Amino acid sequence: MKRVFATISIIITLLLILPTLSLAAQHKVIRVVDGDTIVVTYKGKYEKVRLLCVNTPESVHPDKKQNIPMGKVASNYAKKRLKGKYVDLKFEGPIRGRYGRLLAYVYVDGVNFNLELVREGLSPYYTKYGLSQKYDKEFREAERYARKQKLNIWGDPELTQKYLRLKSKWGQYKSTVSSSPATFQTKEWKYVASKNSKVFHRPDCKWAKKISSKNLIGFRSREEAIRSGRRPCKSCRP
Ligand SMILES: [Zn+2]
C-alpha cells in the first residue's frame, strides 16, 4: 500500500513539473554587449543576437565619439533586465543578418524586451531595415508613449532632434524586415524605388533593375508608393 502511494506521488510530481519545464525559456544570456546586442546559448553554441526593430544609442562603439551617455543608460538597463537570465527568441524573416548575427525579438519573463526598450525611450522604433511584421502597431504605440512621457531619448531635445531626423530618413513605408539581398525582398514587393529617387517602378522595369540593392526599397501597394511622395515611372507605368 505504501509503495502504491509513493508511485502515485511521483507521478503527480512529474505531471506538475513537466509543463513548467517545457515552458521555461531556452537560451541563457551569456553577455549583454550593449542595449540592443546580447550573446546567448543557441543550439549548443554562443551566438550574438541583434534585437529586431530597435537601435539603442552606442556605448561600446570602436569609434569612441559615437559613444554617448544615453548609450550607457540603455546598456545598463539591458544588463539589469537580461544578465544571467534565460530568454526566448522569436524570429521574423531571415534569422541571420549581414554580419551572421541572429536577428530576433527577445522575450524575458514572458515580456517582449525589444518593445520594452522602445516603451522606455531607450530606442526609437527602428525601421531602417523595414517595419516589424508581427508588432508594427505595438512598436508605434510604445514609441508614442515614450515620446509623450519624455522618457530617456525623448527627454533630451538634442537626441530627440537627431532621432526624428533619422526616422524621416528611414521612412515609414518600407516593406517587411529583411537584411537579405534585394532578390529575396522583391518577391513581396509590388513596386520598388530607389530611396534617392522620387519615382517608383514595377520590379521588372529596366530602370528598377539598375537600382543598387543598397538603395532599393519596396512597397506592398501602389497607394503605399504614392504616400511615400513618389510618382509612377513613365516607362513601366506602374
Ligand atoms: Zn519604371
Side-chain angles (χ1 to χ4, degrees):
M1 193 61 206
K2 229 176 177 176
R3 270 253 297 278
V4 173
F5 183 73
T7 313
I8 289 172
S9 54
I10 286 170
I11 289 170
I12 288 174
T13 311
L14 280 176
L15 285 176
L16 286 174
I17 287 173
L18 280 176
T20 54
L21 281 183
S22 58
L23 283 175
Q26 300 294 307
H27 310 286
K28 183 163 196 208
V29 177
I30 300 301
R31 194 156 74 87
V32 174
V33 179
D34 62 11
D36 55 37
T37 311
I38 61 176
V39 177
V40 302
T41 54
Y42 180 80
K43 296 189 174 169
K45 286 195 300 187
Y46 288 178
E47 292 260 16
K48 216 172 234 190
V49 182
R50 177 65 170 78
L51 277 60
L52 282 167
C53 298
V54 293
N55 188 24
T56 57
E58 301 291 345
S59 59
V60 290
H61 200 279
D63 174 9
K64 292 217 162 51
K65 280 184 298 218
Q66 300 228 30
N67 298 328
I68 60 170
M70 193 59 72
K72 201 77 203 156
V73 175
S75 167
N76 286 340
Y77 184 88
K79 280 177 185 155
K80 206 176 74 197
R81 286 286 279 131
L82 302 175
K83 218 171 168 183
K85 293 256 183 84
Y86 282 82
V87 297
D88 282 314
L89 302 179
K90 202 178 256 185
F91 300 104
E92 174 173 286
I95 77 161
R96 285 179 198 277
R98 60 182 77 184
Y99 306 114
R101 301 175 300 190
L102 298 172
L103 302 173
Y105 300 106
V106 170
Y107 278 78
V108 61
D109 306 326
V111 171
N112 182 329
F113 183 70
N114 308 43
L115 268 174
E116 184 176 321
L117 283 171
V118 175
R119 195 172 297 112
E120 291 289 329
L122 292 167
S123 168
Y125 171 25
Y126 186 56
T127 57
K128 186 172 175 183
Y129 299 108
L131 304 178
S132 171
Q133 290 172 44
K134 290 190 173 89
Y135 309 109
D136 181 56
K137 196 167 142 253
E138 289 84 346
F139 272 112
R140 286 171 196 265
E141 274 167 17
E143 191 181 71
R144 210 176 300 133
Y145 171 82
R147 280 182 66 181
K148 209 170 154 196
Q149 303 288 323
K150 297 198 186 319
L151 298 175
N152 292 306
I153 285 171
W154 309 114
D156 179 323
E158 220 173 286
L159 280 179
T160 299
Q161 283 315 307
K162 177 189 153 182
Y163 279 103
L164 291 182
R165 227 171 22 241
L166 283 171
K167 283 184 76 71
S168 70
K169 224 162 71 183
W170 300 333
Q172 292 291 327
Y173 303 110
K174 277 189 227 171
S175 186
T176 49
V177 167
S178 174
S179 52
S180 57
T183 45
F184 175 89
Q185 296 183 328
T186 47
K187 283 181 203 160
E188 292 190 26
W189 291 347
K190 289 219 169 66
Y191 305 103
V192 299
S194 161
K195 67 179 179 196
N196 304 320
S197 149
K198 287 279 162 220
V199 178
F200 69 93
H201 308 269
R202 296 175 189 280
D204 58 356
C205 173
K206 62 177 174 175
W207 300 112
K209 287 181 177 146
K210 290 194 199 308
I211 302 168
S212 78
S213 61
K214 183 165 81 42
N215 293 329
L216 189 69
I217 59 170
F219 308 97
R220 281 165 293 193
S221 69
R222 194 172 190 278
E223 189 203 11
E224 207 175 59
I226 301 274
R227 259 188 308 175
S228 80
R230 290 182 172 78
R231 57 180 189 273
C233 163
K234 289 206 171 96
S235 158
C236 63
R237 297 173 187 274

